[in-house]
Amino acid sequence: MASIVLGIVISVLLSTPASADQVGDAASDLVPSLVRWSITLLGLVVAGRLAWQAFGRAVNIAEVPTFPRYMTTRQQYRLGGFIFVVFSCGFFLLLIHENRDVIALAPLVPAFPVAFIEAAKSQSAPYLTVVAAMGIVYLFLLTKEAQWNVLLMVRDVIQSWISVPQLAKQIMAQIRFSLRVPQEVLSKVIANSPDVVDQDFRKDPNTPDRMWAEICYMKWWLTQGRDTGDDATFFTEDSFGFDKLMADFQQGAPTMSQWKAGTLTGLAAPQATQLIKDLYNRFARLVACYLIYRNGSRIDLRNEASKFGIEIDAPIHDNPLRYWIVYIIALICSVYLGVTISAVIYDVLQGRGVVWAQDPNRSIAWVMYSLCNYGLAIVVVLLLRFAMSSLGSDSDQSHLTTYCWSFLVALAVGPAGLTLAVHNFGEGNLREMSLASLYFAMLRWGLGPALVTVYISYYLDRQSCSDLPDIDNSMRTVAWRLFNCFGFAATNVFLLLPQLLSLMAQEGAIWETNKLRFIAAGTTFCLAFGLALAAQFALKKERIGTVLAHKPA
């Protein structure tokens, strides 16, 4: 609906150029900008709303839709939703408002239609119509749940950083296979469950008797929480259907009485067993969400879960610093090849043929600048993570929190290293600027290291942290992982295009401005692609037993 409304408004806006001649040339010049800004601002509002709705969309737990806000802490849910909204709106802004930066590279491709380039420069009605159509498609993608939807893949990744839905699933698994009802509450549970005796809690976990006894315990435990009156919002949530679950429990009680009496025969016995299993999963789902909902930190959650009767181990973190050499080697190789290959491709596009004899000193210089920017940011973040892990201060920290401060650190540290490199070895008047002024000028180059650092940190954690899913290293996933790397590198270049296309060649430089911009874009792509390949393919997750063996007693 929002996309349709946006399309109608855009159609009205796009009709204004036709009448622009009536108000004079001055007004006519303002119309394209007003239309483009109208599209942008309206789209941002709609994109923000749709992104927030998409982040809160239900996830299946035990084959039942469950809202993410009940599978993590409230603070983490709000932070994750905010980051996804910022990402969605930021990407929409670049897509709609900065699309001419992409077209600025078009003259470098001889076959690119000149008419389209001129339409983009003049911001004619057909061109604005295409831009509006791109915006509508983008907004539609925020509403479309599908495996191929890249935007919602980003949402799923952010949710995994706040343990949605893996934490709820982990708690459910612990309840199913490791629940030990506290001895001090057994008498109360048995008193409120006529068909349960003490021996039922010691039977095989797969027997209906044991499952029914634990269902009765979970019902008693949840009822205690509801009766306190502190969590009315939770128990009145429609998706949980607490009242219906209690009604189904009451309906299942006579069936369990018949089971214990041995009067169920024929098909009734398997049906009763399936009924007990379904009830068990629904109660376990509700208990898992309630434990998470009530506890604002992982430490509190582990303590409360222990009182309930399950143990949630703290995540095991491998030493992230020991992988720094992998990233530095990948960085050096990627930048050197990126500069050389981009220069060759540019010469080919300009009709100069294949010229492999490029200036090697330029490649080495770019490697040095990249090490000072990207390399320093990566090493500093890994060093900080190692220090925090050694001090134990990250035990209660979510992955999302880690990636937020990693992003900010890389955003600040990368330009600081680049500032020192340019101040001492740069060309032109940059060396004459004060360090403070030069740092603020270099800050625009911090986005690249920040994005790359978060990307490699996430895949490093998937290789070295016990609470994240392993990377599937089988051959059937190679194509998808390569596409993932390519997509990340392309997105990285797209986000950095305004900075890349603002580069100007120094007077007397070997490369003219167009070649400098092309090489900068190509090298940025190769750098991000090479580090993404290292993150996806160069590391191997250790077995938990091996990690534990290296931990001090």
Side-chain angles (χ1 to χ4, degrees):
M1 178 61 71
S3 299
I4 295 174
V5 172
L6 180 60
I8 294 173
V9 174
I10 288 172
S11 299
V12 174
L13 290 172
L14 290 178
S15 67
T16 55
S19 58
D21 293 336
Q22 300 176 6
V23 294
D25 294 338
S28 178
D29 293 337
L30 291 176
V31 166
S33 296
L34 290 175
V35 171
R36 188 158 59 92
W37 274 109
S38 299
I39 295 173
T40 302
L41 294 177
L42 180 60
L44 283 175
V45 173
V46 178
R49 179 173 177 80
L50 293 179
W52 183 259
Q53 292 175 347
F55 193 81
R57 213 165 286 148
V59 179
N60 279 342
I61 300 293
E63 301 181 356
V64 180
T66 306
F67 290 110
R69 66 176 178 270
Y70 296 112
M71 292 186 283
T72 187
T73 64
R74 299 171 196 177
Q75 295 82 0
Q76 290 297 314
Y77 176 79
R78 286 194 289 264
L79 178 59
F82 171 76
I83 290 175
F84 182 63
V85 168
V86 170
F87 167 82
S88 301
C89 292
F91 205 89
F92 180 87
L93 180 64
L94 288 172
L95 182 68
I96 300 301
H97 197 63
E98 302 293 344
N99 55 81
R100 287 184 297 171
D101 288 335
V102 180
I103 299 174
L105 288 175
L108 302 178
V109 183
F112 199 89
V114 178
F116 192 80
I117 299 175
E118 294 301 322
K121 290 180 178 179
S122 63
Q123 300 187 66
S124 63
Y127 168 72
L128 291 176
T129 303
V130 173
V131 173
M134 289 192 302
I136 292 174
V137 171
Y138 182 88
L139 296 178
F140 171 75
L141 289 176
L142 287 172
T143 67
K144 181 66 175 177
E145 288 288 339
Q147 291 184 344
W148 50 263
N149 193 334
V150 178
L151 278 176
L152 297 190
M153 289 181 190
V154 175
R155 176 205 62 186
D156 295 341
V157 169
I158 294 175
Q159 287 183 347
S160 73
W161 296 349
I162 55 177
S163 302
V164 174
Q166 61 264 29
L167 181 57
K169 291 182 176 179
Q170 177 189 357
I171 294 175
M172 287 183 63
Q174 288 291 322
I175 293 173
R176 179 67 186 88
F177 299 106
S178 304
L179 176 59
R180 294 294 179 267
V181 179
Q183 192 68 33
E184 59 270 17
V185 302
L186 277 179
S187 59
K188 297 178 182 179
V189 175
I190 294 172
N192 287 273
S193 310
D195 294 314
V196 176
V197 295
D198 184 74
Q199 292 80 2
D200 291 338
F201 293 96
R202 294 190 289 272
K203 292 182 179 179
D204 186 276
N206 294 316
T207 60
D209 302 68
R210 170 72 175 270
M211 295 178 69
W212 179 257
E214 293 182 351
I215 288 173
C216 292
Y217 168 61
M218 288 187 281
K219 172 185 173 294
W220 175 85
W221 186 81
L222 288 167
T223 302
Q224 299 299 307
R226 183 197 60 179
D227 292 344
T228 61
D230 297 331
D231 302 310
T233 302
F234 180 88
F235 289 101
T236 56
E237 171 60 50
D238 292 338
S239 64
F240 289 134
F242 181 76
D243 293 335
K244 185 179 185 306
L245 181 58
M246 292 301 163
D248 291 342
F249 173 86
Q250 296 298 334
Q251 292 177 4
T255 302
M256 193 61 203
S257 297
Q258 295 176 21
W259 169 274
K260 297 199 123 186
T263 58
L264 288 179
T265 58
L267 296 176
Q271 290 174 354
T273 302
Q274 186 60 44
L275 172 65
I276 299 303
K277 288 181 179 179
D278 292 341
L279 274 176
Y280 194 101
N281 288 334
R282 291 165 63 190
F283 270 101
R285 163 182 168 263
L286 194 56
V287 169
C289 292
Y290 189 46
L291 278 169
I292 298 171
Y293 177 82
R294 289 188 61 188
N295 298 282
S297 70
R298 289 295 184 90
I299 295 176
D300 293 338
L301 175 61
R302 287 195 291 272
N303 293 335
E304 191 71 19
S306 179
K307 294 177 182 177
F308 173 75
I310 60 174
E311 297 296 330
I312 302 176
D313 295 329
I316 299 173
H317 296 268
D318 194 7
N319 175 15
L321 188 59
R322 67 192 185 100
Y323 298 105
W324 71 272
I325 189 63
V326 175
Y327 301 125
I328 296 301
I329 292 175
L331 174 64
I332 293 173
C333 296
S334 299
V335 173
Y336 192 90
L337 291 175
V339 172
T340 303
I341 294 174
S342 298
V344 172
I345 292 176
Y346 181 86
D347 290 339
V348 170
L349 293 175
Q350 296 302 307
R352 302 170 187 167
V354 179
V355 182
W356 289 107
Q358 302 292 332
D359 185 1
N361 293 327
R362 302 304 301 166
S363 299
I364 295 174
W366 280 49
V367 168
M368 182 195 71
Y369 287 129
S370 298
L371 285 172
C372 294
N373 189 13
Y374 286 80
L376 179 63
I378 292 171
V379 171
V380 167
V381 168
L382 293 180
L383 184 61
L384 288 175
R385 293 192 60 183
F386 172 70
M388 294 178 67
S389 178
S390 300
L391 296 173
S393 57
D394 65 338
S395 59
D396 195 40
Q397 190 176 97
S398 72
H399 292 288
L400 178 61
T401 304
T402 298
Y403 302 148
C404 284
W405 68 253
S406 296
F407 182 92
L408 295 176
V409 168
L411 191 68
V413 170
L418 186 60
T419 297
L420 294 176
V422 172
H423 180 74
N424 290 286
F425 306 103
E427 300 176 350
N429 58 359
L430 293 176
R431 299 182 63 177
E432 301 173 3
M433 296 174 62
S434 66
L435 282 176
S437 300
L438 186 58
Y439 176 72
F440 283 109
M442 294 296 107
L443 265 179
R444 59 180 179 155
W445 299 108
L447 181 60
L451 293 171
V452 168
T453 299
V454 171
Y455 183 92
I456 65 175
S457 293
Y458 170 58
Y459 282 96
L460 170 62
D461 287 342
R462 288 188 61 177
Q463 298 283 31
S464 60
C465 291
S466 60
D467 62 332
L468 284 176
D470 295 355
I471 296 177
D472 187 349
N473 292 307
S474 63
M475 292 299 298
R476 62 186 176 84
T477 65
V478 170
W480 164 248
R481 286 187 285 157
L482 287 173
F483 176 77
N484 183 297
C485 296
F486 181 89
F488 170 74
T491 302
N492 201 50
V493 173
F494 178 72
L495 295 176
L496 292 171
L497 268 182
Q499 294 95 306
L500 293 171
L501 296 180
S502 67
L503 290 172
M504 299 293 295
Q506 296 286 335
E507 184 177 351
I510 299 176
W511 297 333
E512 67 271 20
T513 296
N514 283 340
K515 186 171 184 178
L516 174 65
R517 293 173 177 176
F518 187 88
I519 292 175
T523 303
T524 299
F525 175 87
C526 291
L527 187 157
F529 186 70
L531 287 172
L533 287 176
Q536 291 271 13
F537 295 94
L539 309 178
K540 186 175 181 181
K541 189 167 188 174
E542 292 189 15
R543 296 180 182 273
I544 298 299
T546 306
V547 176
L548 290 173
H550 290 288
K551 293 186 68 176

